[in-house]
Amino acid sequence: MKKHKVWHPILFAVYSILFLFAHNVSEASFGDLPVPTLLVFSGIVLIWGLLWVLFRNWQFTGIIVTTIILAFFTYGHAYNIVLHEHIGSFDIGRHRHLFPVYALLFLIVSYLAFRSRESLGTLTKILNFTTGVLLVFVIAEISYFHIFSRPDTKYLTNSYETSPRDASSKNPDVYYIILDGYASNKTIVDYYETNNDDFEGYLKDKGFYISLGSVSNYVHTPVSLSSSMNMEYVNFLADKLGENSVDKTIPYEMIKNSKAMQFLKARGYSFVLIRSGWGPTDKNTAADVSIKCGSYNEYLKMMTHTTMLRIFEKWLIFLDRHRDNVRKMFSELKDINRIDGPKFVMVHFLVPHAPFIFGPNGEPRLPENLLLGSRIWLPRQGYIDQIAYINSQMKLAIDNILATSAQTPIIMIQADHGPASFDKWDDPTDEFLKERFGIINAILLSGVPEDSLRSVLTPVNNFRLVFNQAFNTNFEILEDK
């Protein structure tokens, strides 16, 4: 009997890696693939090699390896489905309940394959063909995106007058510091049984204007930042993409190629990006200086969250990478004035957003949930502790920036949205919305009297107001909504 070549484990492994990449194609890059690919194929070589030594049958061992790959790449998805689900009073959303189900199914498949190990040619041929077709489709999907589905960004072009200021005047450095999920002091007082008076007092002493009633315009990072950095509301995305669309391509491109960035570059500013590890604020070809702060990236984290590595998620090395990335970002921000010339510095910290990985003094903390996109923002004390650490690092960074700047810079400290400890996404309550919308929004704008800044300001107007005051432009101040 002809022995068919066994290709399906390799083909299926490549497909599984690219499938996750394809479904995150707007925020992932090909540079994110080598590490997970190396890890997966190292495991395949080890497991398949051991099985072949034991059974000396390529077709049988190939089916076992493909089954293992299938189980590995689907486990996290299955766990997400059953998480927090109950049958009566029995909590089925536990690893100790789901993993035995997977183990039992694997044993059944292995037993059936072993019994038929001398007649697996047809099944091997079918699996080779099926996995080959799947691989072709996922490669086509990724290729189509990069060739045909790049967003139309012509509407991002800055149509405003961008003639440089008088050459004799000095342009102050502009800092845009995004603290992801950082609540307003009012939110902290209302829902967290404490306050943020110390940090707000520090900012006021340094000359910052704090918009006490500030709220975000949107409740998700991609649309919030695409709005604030382009100085306009982006409700048109609902018409362009559909109200329930999860396509982030256009918002991501708007963040990378923003009008604020274009405005400042047209005036001779260098765009300095301190890379965050997340999508459009991690990699940007428009940056004149791009500062890498570690090996953390959301693609590897997402892979861990959706595979069988989910069992060991809390103990895997990327948790330390996340912490190291944040620490390095603060360090780079503190010493950013080593870069000469007028500069627009953008830094997007992925904290205090969940997961809560820092204690109040920066000590490592083991969070309850690790996914950046998690809806779980508990315990509330974990959030407050993480803010305490951020405040201490922000003070050090601001002190050093001000001490090493030739002239007082413009500094905007803003959140993209607030926290969400109530977890009422499916049926939003007033409390949920007030918590999610309330944000920190502080601006250092030297020489501008406070009464010229409005008491309520939303991020869509931040750059408009700053540019009007610092660059003598006439941007309309939009209604805060």
Side-chain angles (χ1 to χ4, degrees):
M1 180 180 294
K2 180 182 177 181
K3 294 287 186 179
H4 293 281
K5 298 292 184 180
V6 183
W7 295 107
H8 55 85
I10 304 299
L11 296 174
F12 191 57
V14 175
Y15 164 77
S16 299
I17 294 169
L18 292 182
F19 178 83
L20 180 61
F21 180 84
H23 284 262
N24 295 274
V25 69
S26 61
E27 55 192 284
S29 71
F30 290 107
D32 296 330
L33 291 177
V35 171
T37 301
L38 179 62
L39 292 174
V40 169
F41 275 89
S42 296
I44 289 173
V45 169
L46 178 62
I47 293 171
W48 203 355
L50 290 174
L51 288 173
W52 190 85
V53 168
L54 289 174
F55 297 102
R56 303 282 177 167
N57 185 313
W58 286 112
Q59 294 184 353
F60 167 66
T61 55
I63 289 172
I64 299 303
V65 171
T66 294
T67 303
I68 291 173
I69 295 170
L70 177 64
F72 178 81
F73 277 97
T74 61
Y75 183 88
H77 294 288
Y79 183 76
N80 288 335
I81 292 172
V82 300
L83 187 63
H84 305 309
E85 295 296 330
H86 293 76
I87 299 177
S89 60
F90 183 71
D91 183 3
I92 62 174
R94 300 289 183 89
H95 291 300
R96 63 174 175 264
H97 301 147
L98 181 62
F99 185 79
V101 173
Y102 263 69
L104 177 61
L105 292 174
F106 170 74
L107 291 174
I108 292 172
V109 171
S110 299
Y111 172 73
L112 294 175
F114 183 77
R115 287 190 58 184
S116 308
R117 62 188 180 280
E118 299 303 326
S119 56
L120 294 174
T122 300
L123 180 58
T124 296
K125 188 176 180 180
I126 292 172
L127 289 174
N128 285 344
F129 176 78
T130 303
T131 53
V133 170
L134 290 173
L135 183 57
V136 168
F137 272 109
V138 76
I139 291 175
E141 181 180 356
I142 295 170
S143 301
Y144 184 87
F145 172 83
H146 283 283
I147 296 172
F148 300 109
S149 295
R150 302 303 299 178
D152 176 10
T153 58
K154 62 180 182 293
Y155 58 87
L156 298 177
T157 302
N158 192 347
S159 60
Y160 300 98
E161 290 296 327
T162 58
S163 55
R165 302 177 78 194
D166 190 314
S168 63
S169 66
K170 293 182 179 179
N171 291 341
D173 290 340
V174 178
Y175 291 82
Y176 187 46
I177 302 171
I178 305 139
L179 301 177
D180 205 306
Y182 197 120
S184 65
N185 196 15
K186 184 178 187 307
T187 298
I188 293 173
V189 169
D190 288 348
Y191 301 115
Y192 288 81
E193 299 181 350
T194 185
N195 62 68
N196 203 26
D197 292 349
D198 176 73
F199 187 56
E200 287 203 348
Y202 164 84
L203 292 176
K204 289 178 181 178
D205 289 342
K206 295 296 180 181
F208 280 81
Y209 165 75
I210 300 175
S211 178
L212 299 178
S214 190
V215 294
S216 60
N217 303 107
Y218 301 93
V219 296
H220 291 293
T221 304
V223 286
S224 178
L225 291 187
S226 61
S227 172
S228 60
M229 297 190 70
N230 287 279
M231 305 179 287
E232 62 181 316
Y233 288 100
V234 293
N235 294 21
F236 66 86
L237 291 173
D239 296 329
K240 191 174 184 68
L241 301 176
E243 289 188 1
N244 298 316
S245 173
V246 295
D247 184 355
K248 302 172 185 175
T249 306
I250 293 178
Y252 279 18
E253 203 66 30
M254 292 179 71
I255 295 169
K256 291 180 179 180
N257 192 32
S258 70
K259 289 180 179 178
M261 178 269 292
Q262 293 177 33
F263 178 95
L264 291 168
K265 289 191 74 168
R267 282 162 171 74
Y269 279 76
S270 296
F271 175 26
V272 179
L273 177 67
I274 299 177
R275 295 172 57 179
S276 68
W278 173 79
T281 58
D282 182 57
K283 300 179 182 71
N284 192 339
T285 57
D288 299 293
V289 180
S290 183
I291 302 174
K292 185 175 175 62
C293 295
S295 56
Y296 172 86
N297 68 75
E298 275 298 299
Y299 176 78
L300 183 59
K301 190 173 181 180
M302 182 64 70
M303 181 177 176
T304 305
H305 196 74
T306 56
T307 66
M308 200 166 282
L309 293 175
R310 179 71 179 272
I311 298 172
F312 313 103
E313 187 177 34
K314 291 184 179 180
W315 296 274
L316 290 176
I317 192 171
F318 76 80
L319 191 58
D320 287 330
R321 289 181 178 179
H322 191 359
R323 293 192 191 98
D324 291 343
N325 199 72
V326 172
R327 294 187 184 111
K328 182 73 184 307
M329 290 173 70
F330 277 119
S331 176
E332 292 290 347
L333 179 61
K334 180 169 67 73
D335 296 329
I336 202 68
N337 275 329
R338 69 183 187 276
I339 300 172
D340 295 327
K343 51 189 174 290
F344 169 45
V345 180
M346 178 178 174
V347 53
H348 173 203
F349 289 98
L350 303 181
V351 287
H353 196 297
F356 307 137
I357 58 175
F358 291 108
N361 300 308
E363 64 272 25
R365 180 182 179 276
L366 191 62
E368 295 182 3
N369 190 289
L370 294 178
L371 191 62
L372 183 63
S374 172
R375 293 165 30 142
I376 300 174
W377 289 67
L378 296 171
R380 289 180 176 176
Q381 188 58 46
Y383 178 74
I384 294 302
D385 289 345
Q386 193 145 277
I387 281 183
Y389 170 66
I390 292 164
N391 289 350
S392 68
Q393 297 306 300
M394 284 298 300
K395 290 178 182 180
L396 293 174
I398 292 169
D399 284 345
N400 210 60
I401 289 170
L402 295 179
T404 57
S405 295
Q407 61 177 317
T408 304
I410 298 168
I411 303 178
M412 289 178 277
I413 300 173
Q414 172 213 307
D416 48 349
H417 55 71
S421 65
F422 287 104
D423 190 18
K424 296 292 184 181
W425 291 99
D426 298 327
D427 185 21
T429 61
D430 286 344
E431 284 187 325
F432 169 80
L433 293 173
K434 288 177 181 177
E435 181 190 25
R436 186 67 174 179
F437 275 103
I439 61 169
I440 189 171
N441 197 4
I443 300 175
L444 178 63
L445 199 55
S446 180
V448 176
E450 186 170 311
D451 58 11
S452 68
L453 304 173
R454 300 182 307 155
S455 60
V456 177
L457 188 71
T458 61
V460 73
N461 282 315
N462 277 11
F463 280 104
R464 288 174 175 264
L465 185 145
V466 166
F467 291 163
N468 285 350
Q469 296 291 339
F471 296 95
N472 302 317
T473 55
N474 293 301
F475 288 103
E476 177 190 357
I477 300 300
L478 305 178
E479 180 186 354
D480 287 316
K481 293 187 290 187

